[in-house]
Amino acid sequence: MQAVQFSGFGEADVLQFVDIPKPVPQPGEVLIKVAAAGVNYADVLQRKGTYPYPVTLPFITGYEVAGVVDRIGEGVTNLQPGQRVMAMIPNGGYAEYAIANAAQAIPLPDDLGDAEATALLVQGMTAVGLLHTGQYESVLMLAAAGGVGSVLVQLAKNQGKRVIAAVGSEAKKSQALELGADVAVSYGDADWVQQVREATDGKGVSVTFDAVGGKVGADALKTLAVGGTGVIFGSASGEPTMLAGQQLVGQGQSVRGYTLFADVAKFGAYAGELFGAYQAGHLKLPVETYPIADVQTAHRDMESRRTKGKVALIF
């Protein structure tokens, strides 16, 4: 079978097609014929060699797939060959076939496309998990036009929260507003923090959700209300969010980290919540698709912030 592999770290051109043996599912596993593979910024970091958890070369990245069950391993009773599923996997998603733990492969509704399904995996479930971290009246979402942001904006608005979307360019503000954000600001503007404060009548927001880090993440904490919470779940800028300890103490604020993989036991419930919102017509899934042959272009576009919503590779 064909797969996209890198044998050294570097720019997008290290992603190369290779022929490798078709994997065989072990007990408790399923083999999925991949129709769509999700692309995440973590894939870019793995390729560049800057991901927090080292990978062993050569490596096939990709940890979200949607497709059809091709074979099942011994002891698998919840799935059958021919069944459409989506699944999170440790790696190996950029390939014609991928192995998944049967317990983490979720059957797909007939009305949900394969590319759209990838938006409900790591990024969609992360959006749900973030909103489950507390009771919030108002939300500031950084990278609101991205995969997590585009879902979280909608879910938060459906819950009746005031939603302020922060994006990296003027062009992405309209998408955030179309998805339901009450206000959209660009953190390319020098006064964007003041814009957020004004949008909340000077009170600030209950929570900031930050996967950007660096100066943008640090500035976002300045928009918090007294007693507000900053939730950090990534650092796409490549720099950590710098915390202003005196500010946090003076305003009674807190900062915490979040990772979806601390909520593995809740994956089924999170998927059910997303399916329910989608089937009720409350959740749009903006997806940009690339043929697998254009995997290098997909990586370059994501890395340069040219993409909106979920990015998926189509086989």
Side-chain angles (χ1 to χ4, degrees):
M1 70 170 189
Q2 276 207 317
V4 177
Q5 176 180 278
F6 57 89
S7 299
F9 300 118
E11 300 304 315
D13 57 5
V14 301
L15 297 169
Q16 298 292 325
F17 284 90
V18 295
D19 285 313
I20 60 174
K22 182 177 175 181
V24 177
Q26 300 303 304
E29 297 179 339
V30 295
L31 178 67
I32 299 171
K33 181 173 176 54
V34 178
V39 180
N40 292 281
Y41 204 76
D43 303 356
V44 173
L45 297 180
Q46 287 178 331
R47 187 205 80 219
K48 293 169 70 73
T50 58
Y51 194 60
Y53 308 103
V55 302
T56 301
L57 299 177
F59 190 74
I60 299 171
T61 192
Y63 50 95
E64 301 168 315
V65 296
V68 176
V69 175
D70 184 73
R71 291 178 60 184
I72 61 174
E74 182 181 347
V76 175
T77 59
N78 61 318
L79 299 168
Q80 297 297 325
Q83 194 169 6
R84 293 182 64 237
V85 295
M86 65 180 190
M88 282 187 281
I89 58 180
N91 54 66
Y94 291 15
E96 289 184 273
Y97 292 87
I99 292 288
N101 186 314
Q104 294 181 10
I106 301 169
L108 288 178
D110 292 338
D111 61 347
L112 183 61
D114 295 307
E116 288 74 16
T118 65
L120 299 183
L121 286 163
V122 172
Q123 292 169 329
M125 290 190 190
T126 294
V128 175
L130 287 169
L131 288 172
H132 279 247
T133 59
Q135 298 295 320
Y136 309 115
E137 294 182 1
S138 55
V139 170
L140 173 66
M141 180 69 211
L142 302 186
V148 175
S150 60
V151 175
L152 189 144
V153 164
Q154 296 175 79
L155 295 179
K157 195 59 191 172
N158 291 342
Q159 294 176 9
K161 305 181 191 305
R162 181 164 178 76
V163 180
I164 300 176
V167 294
S169 67
E170 288 293 319
K172 293 183 178 181
K173 288 167 68 171
S174 59
Q175 177 182 332
L177 292 170
E178 289 171 5
L179 293 174
D182 295 289
V183 178
V185 301
S186 169
Y187 36 77
D189 294 343
D191 66 340
W192 77 273
V193 170
Q194 182 60 31
Q195 292 179 41
V196 174
R197 302 291 303 191
E198 291 174 356
T200 58
D201 297 324
K203 298 177 183 177
V205 295
S206 305
V207 64
T208 61
F209 293 123
D210 170 23
V212 177
K215 185 178 185 303
V216 171
D219 285 346
L221 295 176
K222 299 175 184 177
T223 71
L224 284 174
V226 174
T229 302
V231 181
I232 300 171
F233 65 102
S235 56
S237 67
E239 300 176 355
T241 298
M242 301 303 294
L243 306 182
Q246 194 58 44
Q247 171 202 323
L248 298 175
V249 171
Q251 298 294 313
Q253 297 161 345
S254 61
V255 177
R256 58 165 296 179
Y258 177 79
T259 174
L260 174 64
F261 298 101
D263 284 347
V264 172
K266 301 176 183 177
F267 282 2
Y270 287 179
E273 191 170 331
L274 289 163
F275 285 156
Y278 177 79
Q279 292 174 326
H282 297 154
L283 181 61
K284 299 176 184 177
L285 298 173
V287 179
E288 293 191 18
T289 60
Y290 294 75
I292 186 63
D294 293 338
V295 60
Q296 293 183 2
T297 302
H299 268 235
R300 291 188 186 104
D301 287 352
M302 174 170 280
E303 197 168 358
S304 61
R305 307 292 193 272
R306 287 195 291 266
T307 60
K308 299 178 184 178
K310 182 62 185 175
V311 176
L313 302 170
I314 302 301
F315 289 78

